[in-house]
């Protein structure tokens, strides 16, 4: 239900889309490469989902009860 910048078609990317952000980070101004993990929409199990870190491209599994940031994206 995010409305930002006049757009309402934001969504939580899957783990492969997050990895594309990492791979193309040089062309994405303002991408956080500090080492913070972000949730992916890809589930690992009923209690866990994948996460992505943009400092080194690491993907890990996080417990859904953990507070982890999200990076919403739009298709263009």
């Amino acid at each position: 239900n995010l409305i930002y910048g006049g757009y309402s078609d934001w969504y939580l990317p899957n783990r492969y889309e997050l990895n594309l952000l990492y791979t193309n980070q040089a062309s994405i101004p303002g991408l956080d490469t500090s080492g913070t993990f972000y949730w992916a929409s890809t589930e690992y199990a009923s209690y866990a989902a994948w996460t992505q870190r943009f400092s080194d491209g690491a993907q890990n599994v996080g417990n859904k009860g953990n507070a982890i940031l999200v990076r919403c994206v739009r298709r263009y």
Side-chain angles (χ1 to χ4, degrees):
N1 293 331
L2 175 65
I3 298 173
Y4 182 77
Y7 299 100
S8 61
D9 57 347
W10 299 94
Y11 70 96
L12 186 62
N14 65 42
R15 66 182 285 211
Y16 303 106
E17 291 170 315
L18 282 179
N19 199 53
L20 282 173
L21 291 176
Y22 168 72
T23 302
N24 295 291
Q25 64 181 294
S27 63
I28 305 171
L31 185 67
D32 177 11
T33 59
S34 67
T36 301
F37 277 95
Y38 290 87
W39 282 118
S41 64
T42 310
E43 264 194 334
Y44 177 79
S46 62
Y47 60 87
W50 286 94
T51 62
Q52 172 86 40
R53 184 170 57 203
F54 297 113
S55 61
D56 60 3
Q59 289 192 335
N60 289 331
V61 173
N63 185 302
K64 291 180 182 178
N66 293 342
I68 298 176
L69 297 176
V70 296
R71 173 167 286 281
C72 295
V73 297
R74 298 179 58 234
R75 295 197 195 281
Y76 68 97

